[in-house]
């Protein structure tokens, strides 16, 4: 028997990550509105980093749930599109796990402490301005690639919904109770 719907926990994690990504993108774009070295600019970086850590935790949990409970198979007319669909999902998962790790390394190479719900991350690397810049560039590349990949992912879902008229989009939407009149 094949799965036709994502598990409610997977749906919750999916949409929670969407909201958190929007918040992370908005906050980091706001950073440029403040002068370098200002408290407001540092605050935007701190908030962005905190959101990134939450995304990392949720993505780890989401992958655990996916492995444990499975996911519906892609609904594509060709094997090539089904393979591409699976590759896209795994690429998004990988970037959403790797980008926060490089965000943490960025702060650590800058010599800054990282706090997460009262926990202070141990210093894993020696502060190094050159490495900080390299890690920052890679983290930014991953973030920019997310804009592109999320756009393709959303367009593919809309294509399935409006052109193919299948249930690919609706199986990741929360089930709502219909109110009768």
């Amino acid at each position: 028997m094949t799965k036709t719907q994502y598990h409610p926990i997977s749906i919750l994690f999916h949409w929670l990550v969407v909201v958190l990504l929007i918040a992370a993108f908005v906050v980091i774009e706001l950073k440029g509105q403040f002068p370098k070295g200002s408290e407001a600019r540092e605050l935007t970086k701190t908030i962005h980093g905190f959101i990134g850590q939450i995304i990392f935790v949720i993505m780890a949990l989401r992958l655990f749930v996916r492995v444990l409970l499975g996911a519906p198979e892609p609904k594509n007319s060709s094997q090539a599109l089904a393979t591409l669909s699976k590759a896209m999902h795994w690429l998004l998962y990988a970037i959403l796990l790797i980008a926060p790790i490089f965000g943490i390394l960025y702060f650590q190479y800058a010599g800054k402490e990282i706090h997460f719900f009262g926990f202070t991350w141990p210093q894993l690397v020696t502060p190094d301005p050159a490495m900080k810049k390299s890690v920052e560039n890679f983290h930014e590349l991953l973030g920019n690639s997310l804009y592109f990949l999320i756009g393709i992912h959303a367009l593919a879902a809309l294509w399935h919904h409006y052109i193919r008229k299948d249930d690919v989009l609706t199986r990741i939407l929360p089930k709502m109770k219909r109110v009768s009149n």
Side-chain angles (χ1 to χ4, degrees):
M1 183 171 146
T2 61
K3 291 181 70 71
T4 59
Q5 184 79 13
Y6 281 92
H7 190 277
I9 294 172
S10 295
I11 294 170
L12 172 68
F13 287 160
H14 175 273
W15 292 107
L16 189 54
V17 167
V18 168
V19 169
L20 289 167
L21 280 170
I22 291 168
F25 288 150
V26 166
V27 169
I28 207 60
E29 292 300 327
L30 281 175
K31 177 189 84 162
Q33 302 303 309
F34 303 108
K36 288 188 177 187
S38 69
E39 284 185 37
R41 188 178 179 102
E42 291 305 309
L43 179 61
T44 60
K45 291 194 299 192
T46 299
I47 292 169
H48 177 79
F50 183 72
I51 293 169
Q53 291 175 79
I54 294 171
I55 290 171
F56 178 83
V57 169
I58 293 171
M59 285 306 300
L61 292 170
R62 183 169 180 202
L63 280 175
F64 177 74
V65 167
R66 183 177 176 130
V67 168
L68 190 67
L69 302 175
E73 285 295 315
K75 286 192 171 183
N76 288 301
S77 50
S78 76
Q79 186 60 40
L81 284 176
T83 301
L84 192 59
S85 173
K86 283 183 180 182
M88 172 64 89
H89 277 101
W90 288 108
L91 180 60
L92 283 169
Y93 293 157
I95 292 173
L96 289 168
L97 286 169
I98 295 168
I101 291 169
F102 276 84
I104 289 169
L105 288 172
Y106 164 78
F107 279 106
Q108 292 208 335
Y109 278 121
K112 297 179 181 178
E113 282 189 343
I114 305 167
H115 302 278
F116 190 64
F117 290 111
F119 168 77
T120 302
W121 285 90
Q123 187 68 29
L124 302 172
V125 297
T126 304
D128 179 339
M131 281 302 296
K132 173 188 160 238
K133 190 63 181 165
S134 294
V135 166
E136 178 184 27
N137 288 339
F138 189 66
H139 178 75
E140 194 172 304
L141 173 71
L142 292 173
N144 288 334
S145 67
L146 277 174
Y147 286 120
F148 178 72
L149 293 172
I150 290 167
I152 291 172
H153 180 68
L155 286 173
L158 293 172
W159 175 72
H160 274 280
H161 189 72
Y162 290 108
I163 306 298
R164 300 250 350 245
K165 299 195 184 298
D166 60 26
D167 68 342
V168 166
L169 177 61
T170 58
R171 62 189 186 173
I172 195 64
L173 294 175
K175 290 194 179 196
M176 306 280 194
K177 290 186 179 181
R178 296 194 179 190
V179 179
S180 11
N181 294 333

